Every structure is written in structure tokens, then in C-alpha cells.
Amino acid sequence: MNRKNSNSKSAAKPALARVQPRKIHPVIIYPFQPATDYADLTELYGLVARLGGDTERYARPITVMDRKTFHAQAGDARFQSFRKETVARHSDIVDAWCVDTCQMWYTGLGEAFARGAEEDVYWLIPGDFNYGSSLGKEVLGRIHDLPEIIEELQQDLCIGEIASAPTDSKQLIDTYGTFALLYTWFPTEADQIREVTGRPRSEFFAIRHCFLREALTQRWYAYEQTLILLLLAVSAGRKISRFSVGDITERVLKMFWRERHRQTADWFDRYRALDAQSEDVRRSAGGIFRSLLP
């Protein structure tokens, strides 16, 4: 009798399968250069603290700190206090020896990926930005939209752009250096990237779990990695968005091109021809920089 009642009850009210909520994984890249003023970082970790309060939506934030940065300030009481009372309090610190900032990205995104699951989103937040300024505070108020765009619009990669004057040095580098070199080595992909973003070297971005897995299983570069992610994305037909949140290294393009084409019979002759064009681009860009920059 009891078993029959129990079965009837189960049939009337079937148990609902528990679905794990999708998580956003913030990855903060602590400034490579030792900080002398903690105003910017204090503002940044104010945001990180707020993220940590929403455990259903956000995974525990990760901060990647280079060991050279740590040892350079090992005797600084302010640094030790900030690391312990602020950084470690609001995030898990991943200490790593890194060649450059992009390798710090690799370390942090890899650690977050290992903690994540399908359909999760990973959000890179550069620490080396003037968050204490009025523009910086505006950026902090908007960058949470990057991972949300990935979720809401079902995108694979979302690049954050910060508006700047046409004569801004980074804008000039992207316009006359980055895209000029992209058009030399990858003209088709350059067209597609330019339709998406004017800032192919942005350090503000969010990426979906499936695309991050694809990127992590391929060669990672310790410089200009955003550019490589964009090249991978457009080559694979991934969905890319951009959102306004307020010296390109040519070697990476050369290496990426060689890896794509070195199996073809005439790759070396094509490479030498492109290298000559690339030299012309660098020379022209240098002249433009000298005439426009103060």
C-alpha cells in the first residue's frame, strides 16, 4: 500500500532535473609593472569584490600575478598588504613565471577553463588600465557587458573597444600598422576582422567555453594573442561581437602564416615576397608615426 501511494505521488509530481547555471569566469591580469599608486587597482578590485558577491552568476575570480612582479615588491609593505587584504580576499591568486602579458592570459584562462564547464564564459580583465580616472570608472561600469553579450547573443568572442582620438598612438598603430600588416599576410581575414572591430589588439574580451577550448589546444603566442584569436575566429566562421567600453609585433603574423602554409610547395617563395611587402609597410608606418606623433 505504501509503495503504491509512493509511486502515485512520484507520477503526479515528477522530480525536475537540476540544471547547473552557466557561469562567468573573471580572469584579472595583475599589472606586469610594479604599481606605485594603488588608486587604479583599488577601483578594479572594488568591481571584483562585487562580482564575488554574486556566486550564482560568477565563478570565483582568478588573479594572475607574475613572479617577477611579486619579487620586485617583496619588501614593500603596501604591496604585501594589498595582495593579502584585497587581491587574495576577493580572488584566487595564480602565481606564475611569464614571458609577457599574453602568457599571463594563457595561464589564467587555462586555469579558469579547467574549473569551467560547457557553455561557461571566460572574461579577461586587464589590470594595467587607469581605472581611477573618470574614463576608467566608466569602463568599469560597462565591461560586465562583454560576457553578457556572449550569453545573450550566443557569440563565441566579444571584443571590447575604448574610443580614442584619431591621433592616439594606439589608434595610429592599429590603423597604419596592425591592419596594414594583416592585409599583407592575411588579406581575406583582415577584411572580416575590420568589419568586426577596429581594435584587433584589445585586452578587453570575453570568450565562450567551446572556442576557448579550441584556442587553448593550438599554439599560444606570448604577444598579440587577441589578434590570433580573431584570426582563428574568422577562419573558423565563429560568431564575433564588439562592444564599446569606453608596435604591433610582426613576428606573430609571420609565424602564424608559416604554420598555415609551410606544407605547400612554393611556401618559401611566397613568404619572401610577403616579407618584402611587410618591410614596405613598416617603413611607411614609421614615416606616418614620425609626422603625426608629438
Side-chain angles (χ1 to χ4, degrees):
M1 180 67 72
N2 290 339
R3 184 181 296 112
K4 184 182 291 186
N5 290 341
S6 176
N7 289 340
S8 298
K9 186 176 181 180
S10 297
K13 294 182 179 180
L16 296 177
R18 183 180 180 184
V19 179
Q20 183 178 359
R22 180 182 297 167
K23 292 279 190 178
I24 295 173
H25 298 256
V27 178
I28 302 94
I29 306 303
Y30 197 86
F32 205 82
Q33 294 294 330
T36 56
D37 184 345
Y38 288 88
D40 294 332
L41 287 171
T42 298
E43 292 289 339
L44 172 59
Y45 279 93
L47 169 65
V48 176
R50 293 191 292 274
L51 300 178
D54 188 355
T55 56
E56 288 191 4
R57 185 163 181 75
Y58 295 98
R60 172 77 170 168
I62 290 172
T63 294
V64 183
M65 184 177 293
D66 185 72
R67 295 303 287 168
K68 295 183 291 298
T69 304
F70 173 82
H71 286 297
Q73 301 178 92
D76 187 332
R78 285 194 312 158
F79 167 74
Q80 294 294 347
S81 175
F82 188 79
R83 175 183 163 102
K84 179 180 178 181
E85 302 298 332
T86 301
V87 182
R89 180 181 177 186
H90 299 302
S91 66
D92 291 340
I93 299 177
V94 176
D95 290 304
W97 290 99
C98 297
V99 174
D100 207 341
T101 304
C102 290
Q103 191 175 357
M104 296 173 73
W105 300 3
Y106 188 53
T107 299
L109 290 170
E111 176 63 28
F113 179 84
R115 303 180 184 187
E118 291 294 334
E119 300 306 319
D120 282 4
V121 177
Y122 305 86
W123 174 20
L124 191 83
I125 307 173
D128 189 10
F129 191 78
N130 56 334
Y131 294 110
S133 67
S134 57
L135 172 62
K137 291 176 181 178
E138 179 183 344
V139 168
L140 283 176
R142 304 185 69 185
I143 57 175
H144 65 86
D145 285 332
L146 294 174
E148 292 176 4
I149 287 172
I150 294 282
E151 290 186 321
E152 294 171 7
L153 301 182
Q154 295 295 300
Q155 302 293 289
D156 295 300
L157 180 66
C158 185
I159 301 294
E161 294 185 344
I162 298 176
S164 62
T167 55
D168 177 79
S169 60
K170 290 185 178 181
Q171 182 69 56
L172 290 170
I173 290 171
D174 282 335
T175 301
Y176 297 104
T178 307
F179 276 110
L181 290 168
L182 267 175
Y183 275 108
T184 298
W185 295 93
F186 296 96
T188 301
E189 292 86 346
D191 271 335
Q192 294 174 278
I193 291 173
R194 193 153 206 166
E195 289 179 2
V196 175
T197 180
R199 289 302 180 87
R201 298 180 304 116
S202 174
E203 295 185 352
F204 294 90
F205 65 81
I207 184 169
R208 184 182 292 280
H209 185 90
C210 57
F211 184 39
L212 179 58
R213 176 174 56 224
E214 179 182 329
L216 290 174
T217 56
Q218 301 190 42
R219 176 170 177 167
W220 193 275
Y221 296 87
Y223 40 86
E224 307 299 356
Q225 186 59 37
T226 307
L227 188 57
I228 295 301
L229 289 175
L230 284 164
L231 282 169
L232 290 173
V234 298
S235 298
R238 292 284 185 175
K239 297 177 180 178
I240 314 171
S241 289
R242 67 176 173 182
F243 179 76
S244 177
V245 295
D247 174 23
I248 185 173
T249 305
E250 186 191 15
R251 290 175 296 166
V252 67
L253 292 174
K254 289 184 176 181
M255 286 191 288
F256 194 68
W257 188 93
R258 287 200 302 265
E259 289 179 358
R260 283 285 185 89
H261 298 281
R262 69 187 312 161
Q263 301 303 319
T264 60
D266 63 340
W267 79 269
F268 187 68
D269 290 337
R270 292 170 60 197
Y271 176 84
R272 289 182 62 185
L274 290 170
D275 190 37
Q277 293 179 38
S278 194
E279 174 63 30
D280 291 339
V281 168
R282 293 197 307 271
R283 189 179 299 109
S284 297
I288 292 171
F289 294 156
R290 282 192 295 272
S291 64
L292 294 179
L293 293 177

